Amino acid sequence: MRLTGRPGPIATCLAGFALTATGCSAMETEEWDVSVSVGELSAAPFGTRIDHSLLWTGAELFVWGGSSEGQQRLHDDGAAYSPDTDSWRTVADSDLEARARHTAVLLGDQRVLVWGGATGTHSGEKDGRMARDGAVYDPGTDSWEPVADAPEARESASAIVTGGHVVFGGSGYQDDLLVYSLKDDTWDTVPLTGAGELFRVLDLVAVDDEVVLVGATADRMLTGRFRVGDEGVSVSEFEEVEDPTGAYVGLVSLPGDKAVLAVRESRGGRLYELDGRGQAETVHEADTFRPPVHTVSHPALSGEMGFVEGLGVVSASAGEFSVWDVDTGLTHRSRGQALDGYCGPIEPVGANALIGWGGRCETGGIRVDLRAQ
């Protein structure tokens, strides 16, 4: 799907961008002329739901948990969809309690870790309506393996896998990160320093052996980075953002171990490559590209952002997606009627297709095929 021809201004900027500013100036974007074709998926083995897992494993779309009937009913079942055959298979039962707004993360070998979330029972503790437990699903054996309970519960937590560990942010105000060791089946907490009170981690991304994060308070946006094993995470203000209230943000790792922060605020959209201090010069302007996390509504309706080989950077959230081609600098955004009214989460499944399932609207599932004009 990637357009051919000479590299655009963003490619030139990133190719010469080192750990300090190089003087690369912001460049205005052009609208990417993309043909969007939308089709329905075959019916899933259960009815549509919200706040569920939706994760591409590399071979199947993994769906698990969530809620329905106005959030009155929580689910503890799942299914996997194959786009090659347009068919579903049910996922083996786990011992996990029914839940929604949990975290599901791909471990790199098509296995999926499901952890945390909101449950229908209360343990009597401060975080009693949230879960501390989780399990790893192996599609090769269609089986689950429980993991140790975390020291605290969280819901709608962002997460990233790095160096045999899973690092979790959170949904509310927090002063630490959770780190789970896949090898040792143990948990650790990593304190955040320099953030002050009422700080929320909005997104995480792995860059080489480091974890880069972005978060915000009511009046400041902050970034930080650390390696697993560090005693803490020091965060500092990202001064390029004038007012984080109501901004859209997201992090992505590009080839060459580059961490790029996307921000869309009242003055428009911008893309920054973060240096080792969490600061950077504007490398691109992209008004039609919308990052997936809203600083006010987070974690509700938040999505994800990632790099897809052959396509570029994809930002997907409820009922919409944006694409940024790093070779040409062109961007595209589809939503609403362009997606036949679909309002659920969306996952890229290759260089030319995205798949969505669930949401509050009547459309159960969609497949979106893209073609550059």
Side-chain angles (χ1 to χ4, degrees), residues 4-91:
T4 59
R6 296 174 56 190
I10 185 63
T12 304
C13 284
L14 290 180
F17 207 96
L19 291 181
T20 57
T22 63
C24 181
S25 60
M27 309 295 283
E28 292 187 2
T29 186
E30 295 180 37
E31 177 70 14
W32 191 357
D33 189 9
V34 174
S35 172
V36 178
S37 175
V38 179
E40 292 188 11
L41 306 185
S42 61
F46 39 63
T48 187
R49 53 188 65 171
I50 61 173
D51 295 329
H52 52 288
S53 302
L54 189 72
L55 188 68
W56 176 244
T57 68
E60 296 176 311
L61 190 73
F62 175 81
V63 177
W64 192 87
S67 63
S68 60
E69 299 174 8
Q71 296 185 317
Q72 298 302 310
R73 182 184 178 191
L74 297 175
H75 300 282
D76 62 357
D77 57 350
Y81 172 79
S82 169
D84 291 340
T85 60
D86 187 29
S87 62
W88 295 80
R89 65 175 181 86
T90 56
V91 167

Side-chain angles (χ1 to χ4, degrees), residues 36-38 321 332-342 366 368:
V36 178
S37 175
V38 179
F321 69 90
H332 170 82
R333 182 182 179 192
S334 284
R335 54 181 172 161
Q337 291 308 308
L339 301 181
D340 289 351
Y342 176 73
I366 63 167
V368 181

Side-chain angles (χ1 to χ4, degrees), residues 290-322:
R290 202 190 85 166
V293 182
H294 190 254
T295 58
V296 173
S297 65
H298 171 78
L301 303 179
S302 294
E304 297 180 350
M305 191 166 75
F307 178 79
V308 178
E309 187 66 40
L311 179 57
V313 177
V314 179
S315 171
S317 54
E320 73 166 81
F321 69 90
S322 300

Side-chain angles (χ1 to χ4, degrees), residues 209-232:
D209 61 347
E210 288 188 311
V211 174
V212 180
L213 65 87
V214 62
T217 63
D219 57 0
R220 295 191 302 159
M221 186 164 290
L222 302 103
T223 61
R225 62 172 67 207
F226 77 104
R227 290 180 173 86
V228 173
D230 289 351
E231 294 183 356

Side-chain angles (χ1 to χ4, degrees), residues 26 261-265 267-272 282 284-287 291:
L261 171 64
V263 180
R264 184 178 179 184
E265 51 182 332
R267 57 179 176 154
R270 287 172 170 78
L271 297 152
Y272 308 87
T282 307
H284 192 52
E285 294 187 357
D287 286 339

Side-chain angles (χ1 to χ4, degrees), residues 80-134:
Y81 172 79
S82 169
D84 291 340
T85 60
D86 187 29
S87 62
W88 295 80
R89 65 175 181 86
T90 56
V91 167
D93 292 338
S94 72
D95 292 329
L96 296 176
E97 182 181 0
R99 63 193 65 192
R101 301 193 295 276
H102 47 284
T103 299
V105 61
L106 185 66
L107 300 181
D109 52 4
Q110 295 192 2
R111 294 186 305 151
V112 177
L113 171 62
V114 173
W115 176 82
T119 65
T121 59
H122 199 295
S123 65
E125 299 183 24
K126 177 182 177 181
D127 56 5
R129 288 200 180 277
M130 294 184 286
R132 301 186 181 197
D133 63 341

